[in-house]
Amino acid sequence: MGYNKISLQLFFVIGFTSALGTNYCSTKMKSFKVLVTNPTVPEIGIKLLTDQGCEVIQVTQENREEIIKHAKGVDALFWASCLSLDKEVLDVAGPQMKAIGIMSAGYDHIDVEEAKKRGIKLGNTPHPLHDAVADLAVLLLLAAARRAHEARLLIENNKWITGNWKWMLGQDVTNSTVGVIGLGNIGLSIVKRLQGFNVKQFLYTGHKEKKEAREIGAKFVSLNTLLEESDFVIIVVPLTAETKGMCDDDFFSKMKKTAVFVNVSRGPVVDQPALIRALKNGQIFAAGLDVMTPEPLPADHELTTLPNVVLLPHLGSATNNTRASMSSLTAENILKALGDEEMITPI
């Protein structure tokens, strides 16, 4: 990417308001109501809306009842929630609804077809979170490869062994083969980070070859080849009918027994019982997961009992600058749509 999060945020806040603000304030924006569906949304996005004359209604709790309670008559939804945005919510909002700004890159929780059928414009926030998610993918890869969770458990249980050179050996990233399933912007960012680890080769698979992949030396292969040859398999695909449950028993059976699996996409992409079997039976070496099913994951879930899995509670975009940039872009998408213009990042 050619910018960092801070410069992106400043561009959104300064550039957008100075260049476009006069088009939106006073006459067009003053009567529009925008419902913000999360009480913890960074203030920068809300300020952009109010500065342009919008009436902002913000829920005090992120739950469906609270959202439906305040949705009637709004012109736009600032959807910063993992809750389902479906026909019921749109019916309550009413026919005057013009825009939905989704504060996330993924939108599998949104009934896009229903919204578009009603002529509602939708936009998400794919760009601001590339770096943060890529950083987290590398963190999970390294932690799983070097058995970080298992090692911590041994310390906690007073089982730290000294003098045994074979104790707690992990997997090397140097001279390894890394396979990325879904080489979009996040996947490309992951590869660029891992290049500094002297990886032997990068493989990727998807619907077609990509020019950007050739520029960074990644090789396009079939899914089977990627699974059979990769020491690390990183999945970064959107959740669709095609990808749901794609990581099943057959998928894991093709991986090396020394391989590490990393998922920073969506939980349902993985057949979770199949992953658990692969981890327990030694079919794969370890896994690093930022997403799982369900979310939140119960504390007594079987995944939490496995020493060879590193779990994080869906923290991919969880940095101050990233979330602020996402908030800004969500507000700007809404303002564009309310002004009868194309959103910056439309769906």
Side-chain angles (χ1 to χ4, degrees):
M1 296 168 61
Y3 48 80
N4 58 34
K5 297 185 187 72
I6 296 175
S7 63
L8 174 68
Q9 183 177 334
L10 290 173
F11 168 77
F12 284 156
V13 178
I14 299 172
F16 177 82
T17 53
S18 62
L20 302 175
T22 54
N23 292 334
Y24 292 137
C25 64
S26 69
T27 56
K28 285 189 176 181
M29 293 294 125
K30 65 180 180 181
S31 61
F32 287 128
K33 293 183 180 180
V34 181
L35 175 61
V36 180
T37 63
N38 191 304
T40 65
V41 166
E43 180 64 26
I44 189 170
I46 296 171
K47 189 174 186 303
L48 278 173
L49 293 170
T50 56
D51 284 352
Q52 298 305 315
C54 293
E55 178 186 344
V56 174
I57 305 161
Q58 188 169 15
V59 299
T60 57
Q61 299 180 66
E62 186 206 356
N63 61 55
R64 191 172 181 83
E65 294 73 20
E66 183 85 355
I67 291 170
I68 288 176
K69 175 183 174 182
H70 294 288
K72 185 175 181 180
V74 301
D75 300 287
L77 290 171
F78 188 122
W79 200 264
S81 172
C82 60
L83 298 171
S84 174
L85 200 175
D86 55 16
K87 184 177 183 296
E88 180 187 15
V89 176
L90 297 176
D91 283 343
V92 171
Q96 79 295 325
M97 266 274 294
K98 297 185 67 173
I100 299 170
I102 305 162
M103 193 177 144
S104 68
Y107 47 88
D108 48 275
H109 55 311
I110 310 295
D111 192 334
V112 173
E113 185 178 344
E114 181 65 29
K116 290 192 171 183
K117 185 169 71 176
R118 299 172 186 234
I120 299 170
K121 291 182 178 180
L122 299 100
N124 62 338
T125 58
H127 303 311
L129 49 72
H130 294 162
D131 287 333
V133 177
D135 289 347
L136 200 78
V138 175
L139 168 67
L140 287 169
L141 182 150
L142 293 172
R146 297 301 299 272
R147 304 169 71 177
H149 175 60
E150 183 179 0
R152 174 61 185 264
L153 291 176
L154 293 175
I155 293 173
E156 292 177 358
N157 291 294
N158 201 28
K159 293 182 179 180
W160 184 339
I161 298 173
T162 60
N164 183 343
W165 289 99
K166 293 184 178 181
W167 185 68
M168 288 298 296
L169 299 180
Q171 304 298 337
D172 287 300
V173 181
T174 299
N175 292 323
S176 69
T177 294
V178 175
V180 180
I181 303 173
L183 196 71
N185 290 314
I186 294 173
L188 287 167
S189 296
I190 293 170
V191 169
K192 289 174 183 177
R193 281 157 172 73
L194 289 175
Q195 285 176 326
F197 287 83
N198 297 320
V199 169
K200 180 174 67 177
Q201 71 171 336
F202 292 98
L203 307 178
Y204 75 100
T205 192
H207 292 123
K208 60 182 180 180
E209 291 189 58
K210 296 191 173 185
K211 176 185 176 183
E212 301 92 334
R214 290 195 297 272
E215 292 173 353
I216 60 173
K219 181 182 178 183
F220 183 71
V221 296
S222 68
L223 176 61
N224 283 348
T225 298
L226 184 146
L227 294 176
E228 291 166 2
E229 296 186 8
S230 296
D231 300 296
F232 298 91
V233 174
I234 307 170
I235 187 154
V236 202
V237 298
L239 177 60
T240 65
E242 179 185 8
T243 63
K244 185 176 182 179
M246 69 176 289
C247 304
D248 55 13
D249 284 306
D250 183 59
F251 179 101
F252 293 114
S253 71
K254 294 171 182 173
M255 290 176 60
K256 297 179 180 180
K257 292 185 181 299
T258 54
V260 172
F261 174 77
V262 175
N263 185 12
V264 289
S265 57
R266 286 289 187 266
V269 167
V270 176
D271 176 347
Q272 204 157 266
L275 172 60
I276 291 171
R277 285 191 289 272
L279 289 165
K280 291 177 70 173
N281 299 336
Q283 180 59 54
I284 63 174
F285 182 76
L289 309 175
D290 187 42
V291 290
M292 55 221 70
T293 307
E295 292 183 6
L297 192 74
D300 60 352
H301 193 280
E302 189 172 10
L303 269 179
T304 68
T305 69
L306 303 181
N308 56 340
V309 60
V310 178
L311 299 174
L312 292 177
H314 207 148
L315 297 179
S317 64
T319 72
N320 288 320
N321 287 336
T322 300
R323 292 283 171 85
S325 296
M326 292 169 69
S327 178
S328 296
L329 180 53
T330 304
E332 289 160 26
N333 274 333
I334 290 171
L335 289 171
K336 282 281 194 178
L338 293 179
D340 295 321
E341 295 186 38
E342 182 75 4
M343 286 182 165
I344 298 170
T345 50
I347 293 172

